[in-house]
Amino acid sequence: MTMSIPLKSSPSTRSASATSATSKAATSIPHAKALKAAVCIAVTLVIYILPVPDGLTAQGMHMLAIFLGTILGLILQPLPTSAVAIIGLTVAMLTGTMDPKTAAFSGLGSASIWLIVAAFFIAQGFVKTGLGRRIALVFISLLGKSSLGISYGLTAADLLLAPATPSNTARLGGILFPIITSISDVQESTPESDESRRRIGAFLCITANNVNAITSSMFITAMAAGPVVAQLASDSDAPISWGTWALAAIVPGLLCLIVIPALVYLIYPPSVRHVPSAQTDAKAELKSLGRLSVKEWIMLLTFAAMLVLWATGQVTGINATTVAFLGVAVLLVTDIITWKEMAANSSAWSTLIFFGILVGMATPLNELGVTEWAGAFIADSIEGWSWPVVLVLLTVCYFLLHYMFASELAQVVAIYTLFLSVAVAAGAPPMATALLLGCTSGLIGAMTHYASGPSALIYGAGYVKTAEFLRVGLVCGVVTVAIYLTVGLGWWKIIGLW
């Protein structure tokens, strides 16, 4: 009997095979990108040349086409995010849809966007001084037995800060994000590779982002859009006090905060789940670090002052972005960070470009009547239905329409009053409706990578890929909205809000 022994391939054979595989991959990648680009162009052209429906102007229709094409490009990514945004803006200017002297670059001057940029620089200060690592080690020493435990620790911190932080971007970007990056750094998890980012950094980032959306829904003062919602509701004869909102949201909100970290852990798990030695190692390293250095003290005091100013913004009248840049200025003067380091922060500047352009492109949709037209179309479609059905459908539509917006505040200003009036006209209780749409205005902040300032910041950090961001954001958003529609409305019935 003879035996057949498989021959090992020679180095030259393996090299040739690898070269062939690389060549095929290199060929397939441009083809895939070209196909994605063709889809984006085709969708834009089809909508652009469609007959203009009643209630819309030609300019509004063209703006809608370019915006949807750009959003599709951000999802499919035939090119990097900032490149897609620049191309979309260029098309809008070339077609005369946006005036380059007025509208085209208006988004780049948004205070909220510059707050995001400042948050990146503040995070640099935490990392460079070592204070972020020290804080991370404290978290790990207390909750470091598991990645899930750490995520719940960050959740508790967000909830504690939310009532006193009117900017959810400042809360996540300026306070929690530096801690997340430092924890990730300790666990050797960086955006440099898939294996590294998925160790723990990606999980903590996307969990914190979805948690931030929940805490934003729980208090009037937890996001910039909250006071606007309260004012619009009051103008519609459904006044909401701070206490009423907090009482209404406490039960569904806490349930969401319990469910979402565990849900993300299930559908987007970190590769490092159990870290049994982390607590011991963290305690040992904290002991070796000794007392805080001078620069750590400066960073800590600057951070504490910023937190106080953010919390008292409604009293002092100091804008959250002003506070953030005050902190950056202190860090520059004290040499905690340098201009050279700021200039090299590509994540900050990329986020400024892509998010600023999107905000600038989204604004004309409201000014040209596109969002009002869409709301009227929805109202006509549900006329004559029972109010519970109308309320559920309007809430779901309100949630899904955020794919067309680049901030919670923009959507609130554009369609909150319209949706509230349609639901009330159908017989829905005014207070419950005003609260449900108000809370949903917070929940929408994590559904896409351009949905809000915190989302743009988390996406810009590079830990989470676009497809992952959209998938987890949609699943978490659907779950949280469902909790508010069921547990929330049930709780509001018990406390007499309807």
Side-chain angles (χ1 to χ4, degrees):
M1 185 177 74
T2 61
M3 294 183 63
S4 175
I5 302 175
L7 297 175
K8 292 183 179 180
S9 60
S10 67
S12 60
T13 303
R14 292 195 300 269
S15 176
S17 300
T19 302
S20 175
T22 303
S23 177
K24 289 179 180 178
T27 303
S28 63
I29 291 174
H31 287 172
K33 289 185 176 181
L35 179 60
K36 292 176 181 179
V39 171
C40 297
I41 294 170
V43 169
T44 303
L45 286 175
V46 168
I47 300 175
Y48 194 93
I49 64 177
L50 281 175
V52 180
D54 293 338
L56 271 187
T57 63
Q59 186 181 2
M61 189 68 173
H62 296 164
M63 190 67 244
L64 177 62
I66 296 168
F67 185 77
L68 291 179
T70 303
I71 295 301
L72 186 59
L74 293 176
I75 295 172
L76 298 180
Q77 286 203 306
L79 292 172
T81 302
S82 295
V84 171
I86 289 172
I87 291 170
L89 179 64
T90 302
V91 172
M93 291 189 291
L94 283 174
T95 57
T97 308
M98 294 183 74
D99 187 344
K101 294 182 179 180
T102 54
F105 299 99
S106 61
L108 294 172
S110 167
S112 296
I113 293 166
W114 281 99
L115 175 59
I116 300 171
V117 175
F120 276 101
F121 302 144
I122 294 165
Q124 280 184 283
F126 270 89
V127 173
K128 186 178 177 183
T129 60
L131 179 62
R133 185 178 182 86
R134 187 186 292 270
I135 294 173
L137 290 168
V138 171
F139 266 86
I140 294 174
S141 68
L142 296 173
L143 301 163
K145 287 185 178 180
S146 70
S147 301
L148 185 59
I150 294 172
S151 74
Y152 275 113
L154 293 169
T155 297
D158 195 323
L159 177 61
L160 182 66
L161 294 168
T165 316
S167 168
N168 54 4
T169 304
R171 186 165 70 252
L172 180 55
I175 302 171
L176 297 177
F177 179 65
I179 299 173
I180 291 170
T181 54
S182 296
I183 291 175
S184 301
D185 181 62
V186 169
Q187 293 298 319
E188 298 181 353
S189 179
T190 68
E192 294 176 1
S193 69
D194 286 347
E195 181 183 359
S196 180
R197 68 183 181 84
R198 288 303 301 270
R199 284 180 61 81
I200 191 172
F203 166 72
L204 291 181
C205 278
I206 204 162
T207 302
N209 190 50
N210 281 280
V211 164
N212 184 261
I214 297 167
T215 57
S216 296
S217 76
M218 295 178 67
F219 308 95
I220 285 180
T221 51
M223 63 173 176
V228 179
V229 166
Q231 182 61 53
L232 294 176
S234 179
D235 293 342
S236 300
D237 297 323
I240 306 172
S241 67
W242 192 97
T244 299
W245 188 316
L247 177 64
I250 192 67
V251 171
L254 286 177
L255 180 58
C256 288
L257 291 177
I258 294 170
V259 169
I260 290 304
L263 177 62
V264 177
Y265 189 77
L266 178 66
I267 65 176
Y268 190 72
S271 60
V272 175
R273 299 193 179 201
H274 301 287
V275 278
S277 63
Q279 287 182 307
T280 303
D281 293 343
K283 290 176 181 178
E285 187 170 347
L286 279 171
K287 186 176 181 180
S288 67
L289 286 176
R291 296 181 178 181
L292 273 69
S293 66
V294 173
K295 288 196 172 182
E296 281 181 292
W297 271 113
I298 294 172
M299 186 70 230
L300 180 60
L301 293 174
T302 302
F303 168 73
M306 290 168 61
L307 182 58
V308 171
L309 289 173
W310 273 327
T312 58
Q314 290 184 312
V315 177
T316 63
I318 303 176
N319 181 270
T321 304
T322 304
V323 173
F325 271 88
L326 175 61
V328 172
V330 171
L331 299 184
L332 283 169
V333 169
T334 55
D335 200 36
I336 300 295
I337 58 174
T338 66
W339 168 246
K340 187 176 181 180
E341 292 167 338
M342 291 170 61
N345 193 328
S346 59
S347 295
W349 303 118
S350 293
T351 302
L352 169 67
I353 292 172
F354 103 82
F355 197 50
I357 289 175
L358 279 183
V359 169
M361 292 179 70
T363 302
L365 291 176
N366 183 36
E367 296 175 348
L368 295 171
V370 177
T371 50
E372 184 178 355
W373 168 79
F377 177 80
I378 294 170
D380 291 340
S381 301
I382 60 177
E383 186 176 359
W385 295 10
S386 63
W387 75 258
V389 175
V390 170
L391 185 57
V392 171
L393 287 178
L394 283 177
T395 303
V396 172
C397 286
Y398 189 86
F399 171 77
L400 294 176
L401 274 175
H402 196 61
Y403 282 104
M404 295 176 59
F405 291 92
S407 78
E408 307 102 323
L409 183 58
Q411 177 161 334
V412 167
V413 172
I415 61 175
Y416 175 85
T417 301
L418 176 64
F419 274 58
L420 176 59
S421 61
V422 170
V424 172
M431 180 63 74
T433 303
L435 278 168
L436 185 57
L437 293 175
C439 292
T440 305
S441 298
L443 300 178
I444 58 179
M447 59 191 293
T448 68
H449 52 305
Y450 56 87
S452 64
S455 284
L457 183 143
I458 290 297
Y459 179 73
Y463 284 95
V464 186
K465 292 186 176 180
T466 305
E468 297 167 344
F469 208 110
L470 295 173
R471 175 173 63 87
V472 177
L474 178 60
V475 172
C476 291
V478 169
V479 170
T480 53
V481 170
I483 288 174
Y484 268 88
L485 282 170
T486 53
V487 175
L489 285 174
W491 167 241
W492 299 349
K493 180 67 173 177
I494 291 174
I495 61 177
L497 293 182
W498 64 278

